[in-house]
Amino acid sequence: MKILVFDIGGTFIKYGCCVNHKLTEIHEVPTEAEKGGPHILEKVISLISGQMDYDAIGISTAGQVNADEGSIIYANSNIPAYTGTEIRKVLEKRFHVPVMAENDVNAAAMGEAVYGAGREKKAFLCLTYGTGIGGAIVQDRMIYHGATFSAAEFGAIVTHAEEKIHGKDFFDGCYEKYASVTALVQRAMKYEKELTDGRKIFEKLDDPEVFRIVDEWIDEIMMGLGSLIHIFNPSCVILGGGIMTQPFITDQIRQRISRYVMPNFAHVEILPAMLGNSAGLLGINYLTCEYRYKG
């Protein structure tokens, strides 16, 4: 079976083909998110129109997604006019094949569940650290969506109560305000303005002040993780996002875990994601296969 797979992010649309669960190619084009949801959908339609002999289409996308309907429940201002986009309805009407749509973090988590770091795990959490913090809850190779397909907004859990109470922005006091890569870069740039991304920061880890900044940032990661581990009692937590390819981070999290969770929770494994940029494409491939067979 051949499935066309797309991963729509704020910066790039990655796309390719999966043939019998093997990703045979990956390409990318700029999302041009500022042009809005209708522009993005037309770009996807154009990319699909150049393909032949496929059985289904899978769309992994930023935003909150109603996976039953294949529509965007909510997307923030980074992608204007995306909320309400009926991806499945539009694409099935246009191309006459089954279409599956899912949130990008959920799709990436399913990729890890089936093909990657979580494939032998019964229940796990997946968190991605980047501009913000994304999350997914996996149980028996199924995503827990919540009542309105909006579960696992882990970036919104409160880790600094005083800042939340007295803040003006919704995310004041929230996890992603302190533990995202954006937060790390903001701290680092106050020390040295050239430290504009995670790679540059870790290249200077031998600088005592940079080390201190990273060390404190990892403690911010731990504050959120400790709460999530106590709530969900997962067998493991899979950490994604480009910065999590740094072994120093996962090593430090493993060393600190016993300080942040009760002893009977300390069995939890901390694993880096295995699939990198392919996770969302592979995950939406699996979900599309499941949807097609159910259909």
Side-chain angles (χ1 to χ4, degrees), residues 107-184:
M110 285 307 302
E112 295 292 341
V114 177
Y115 308 103
R119 61 185 180 275
E120 296 180 359
K121 308 300 179 185
K122 180 179 175 63
F124 66 87
L125 304 180
C126 183
L127 286 91
T128 59
Y129 295 81
T131 304
I133 295 176
I137 305 161
V138 177
Q139 177 75 38
D140 295 327
R141 287 192 176 183
M142 295 181 66
I143 294 291
Y144 174 73
H145 286 105
T148 60
F149 295 89
S150 303
E153 286 286 353
F154 295 150
I157 64 175
V158 177
T159 55
H160 292 259
E162 286 298 316
E163 284 83 350
K164 183 66 175 178
I165 292 168
H166 300 292
K168 296 181 180 179
D169 182 80
F170 175 82
F171 280 98
D172 286 344
C174 291
Y175 190 35
E176 76 171 38
K177 192 88 176 233
Y178 306 91
S180 63
V181 178
T182 300
L184 172 63

Side-chain angles (χ1 to χ4, degrees), residues 257-292:
I257 199 75
S258 61
R259 288 163 39 198
Y260 287 86
V261 302
M262 291 186 282
N264 56 317
F265 287 81
H267 68 278
V268 65
E269 287 186 83
I270 306 296
L271 301 174
M274 288 178 57
L275 301 177
N277 289 335
S278 300
L281 295 173
L282 288 167
I284 199 61
N285 168 73
Y286 174 79
L287 291 168
T288 306
C289 287
E290 292 294 295
Y291 169 67
R292 182 175 182 271

Side-chain angles (χ1 to χ4, degrees), residues 5-237:
V5 288
F6 294 80
D7 191 356
I8 301 170
T11 306
F12 292 103
I13 299 173
K14 295 187 290 291
Y15 65 100
C17 296
C18 277
V19 179
N20 298 326
H21 295 276
K22 292 185 179 180
L23 190 58
T24 60
E25 55 186 90
I26 302 178
H27 308 282
E28 65 178 40
V29 295
T31 306
E32 299 177 309
E34 71 281 357
K35 295 183 179 180
H39 173 79
I40 291 171
L41 193 56
E42 282 303 316
K43 180 169 281 195
V44 169
I45 288 170
S46 176
L47 293 169
I48 295 170
S49 298
Q51 301 290 326
M52 297 181 64
D53 300 324
Y54 51 88
D55 302 290
I57 300 166
I59 307 290
S60 161
T61 179
Q64 296 176 4
V65 179
N66 182 326
D68 284 349
E69 297 179 359
S71 61
I72 304 297
I73 300 169
Y74 172 76
N76 63 28
S77 58
N78 291 334
I79 308 181
Y82 202 34
T83 299
T85 301
E86 296 181 310
I87 294 174
R88 175 180 296 166
K89 182 178 179 180
V90 171
L91 296 185
E92 286 188 345
K93 182 177 180 179
R94 180 70 176 265
F95 297 106
H96 310 291
V97 296
V99 176
M100 178 68 191
E102 178 58 280
N103 165 265
D104 52 358
V105 181
N106 286 342
M110 285 307 302
E112 295 292 341
V114 177
Y115 308 103
R119 61 185 180 275
E120 296 180 359
K121 308 300 179 185
K122 180 179 175 63
F124 66 87
L125 304 180
C126 183
L127 286 91
T128 59
Y129 295 81
T131 304
I133 295 176
I137 305 161
V138 177
Q139 177 75 38
D140 295 327
R141 287 192 176 183
M142 295 181 66
I143 294 291
Y144 174 73
H145 286 105
T148 60
F149 295 89
S150 303
E153 286 286 353
F154 295 150
I157 64 175
V158 177
T159 55
H160 292 259
E162 286 298 316
E163 284 83 350
K164 183 66 175 178
I165 292 168
H166 300 292
K168 296 181 180 179
D169 182 80
F170 175 82
F171 280 98
D172 286 344
C174 291
Y175 190 35
E176 76 171 38
K177 192 88 176 233
Y178 306 91
S180 63
V181 178
T182 300
L184 172 63
V185 170
Q186 287 172 347
R187 288 187 183 195
M189 288 182 68
K190 288 179 181 178
Y191 168 63
E192 187 176 307
K193 63 181 180 181
E194 287 77 20
L195 298 177
T196 55
D197 59 51
R199 179 183 56 80
K200 292 176 182 176
I201 291 168
F202 276 86
E203 285 175 352
K204 296 200 69 173
L205 200 58
D206 57 349
D207 181 318
E209 181 61 16
V210 173
F211 185 91
R212 184 190 66 79
I213 291 167
V214 171
D215 185 67
E216 291 179 356
W217 174 70
I218 293 173
D219 276 332
E220 295 289 354
I221 290 175
M222 297 307 304
M223 277 197 274
L225 279 185
S227 295
L228 292 170
I229 289 165
H230 284 134
I231 294 167
F232 291 100
N233 188 29
S235 60
C236 80
V237 178

